[in-house]
Amino acid sequence: MDKIQSEENYQYLVKRFGKEHISSCYDWVYGLMNDFIEAEQITDDVIVSTDILDHVIVDYYVDIDRLKDFQKIDNVHESKIYAYLSFWLLRHKPMQVIKHENADRISFVNEEFVCCLLRSYLFSEPENVPILNNKKEVVDNFIGTLLYYFKYRDYSAKSIEMIILAFAAGRGYQYSADYQN
């Protein structure tokens, strides 16, 4: 996270958000990425570029700062946090393939990571809910389509946020339907 320290243009981010907050976010994302690489058993094939991750974090905080100013808000909703972070991870691709032998299996590692990140967020409330067998195909289709979307379609932070909000609305609607019967 030395990039923010060395770039005079971005010192305002440190003043606005605090060095600890930014470093904590960086460490969290870096840790998640390394955990993902280990879980996927691709430690010999993929690394996290700290230089590129620096750009992700800086661009994320620039966007969040602009949103806070434009919308006159102090606290940004989690949907925006995940959407804008996901966007910059997809845009900059901090996970870098270092071996070409498995390139076909890992060429979309950043997109797969972001799907995993969003899935963990979307399925976190409530936690540990088993998906019923007759609904597993629908849920798997959503995740598969999300990955396809990140691989081959045009996306923006705003569209990712809308996906998150739509998922939450569907969950809220289903909860309401379940408890009215």
Side-chain angles (χ1 to χ4, degrees):
M1 206 64 263
D2 295 331
K3 180 151 185 71
I4 290 182
Q5 301 303 316
S6 64
E7 293 281 342
E8 203 169 296
N9 294 339
Y10 298 115
Q11 282 299 313
Y12 78 96
L13 293 174
V14 174
K15 290 177 186 168
R16 175 94 181 217
F17 294 99
K19 182 180 177 182
E20 291 82 26
H21 188 268
I22 295 170
S23 292
S24 175
C25 179
Y26 179 94
D27 293 342
W28 176 67
V29 174
Y30 183 77
L32 287 176
M33 293 175 109
N34 280 312
D35 290 348
F36 177 83
I37 290 169
E38 283 184 36
E40 294 296 312
Q41 300 177 346
I42 53 175
T43 55
D44 294 334
D45 304 324
V46 175
I47 61 165
V48 177
S49 167
T50 56
D51 290 338
I52 297 173
L53 186 56
D54 285 347
H55 286 285
V56 168
I57 300 301
V58 168
D59 288 341
Y60 163 76
Y61 275 101
V62 167
D63 274 355
I64 295 299
D65 185 50
R66 288 180 186 153
L67 282 169
K68 290 175 95 170
D69 282 347
F70 181 74
Q71 296 181 353
K72 307 283 188 249
I73 55 174
D74 291 325
N75 297 317
V76 177
H77 191 272
E78 277 189 329
S79 61
K80 286 189 188 310
I81 292 169
Y82 277 86
Y84 282 81
L85 181 59
S86 294
F87 174 76
W88 287 112
L89 287 166
L90 291 166
R91 183 71 172 260
H92 288 307
K93 301 187 183 316
M95 290 184 176
Q96 297 289 299
V97 176
I98 57 173
K99 277 176 85 177
H100 298 287
E101 288 81 27
N102 292 327
D104 58 328
R105 185 178 85 107
I106 57 176
S107 58
F108 292 106
V109 67
N110 289 283
E111 291 80 359
E112 290 175 14
F113 170 74
V114 169
C115 275
C116 184
L117 175 70
L118 289 177
R119 183 180 183 151
S120 70
Y121 170 64
L122 293 173
F123 291 94
S124 65
E125 288 193 29
E127 287 187 54
N128 301 320
V129 173
I131 306 298
L132 299 174
N133 286 338
N134 64 342
K135 295 299 177 186
K136 185 174 180 348
E137 185 178 332
V138 174
V139 173
D140 289 346
N141 184 48
F142 171 76
I143 298 301
T145 303
L146 188 62
L147 179 59
Y148 182 88
Y149 179 71
F150 291 149
K151 286 179 179 180
Y152 303 113
R153 298 289 183 245
D154 292 330
Y155 52 82
S156 67
K158 293 173 190 173
S159 67
I160 297 169
E161 181 183 10
M162 184 54 73
I163 291 167
I164 293 169
L165 293 173
F167 187 92
R171 182 173 44 213
Y173 178 82
Q174 186 62 54
Y175 180 85
S176 297
D178 290 347
Y179 284 93
Q180 286 185 14
N181 294 330

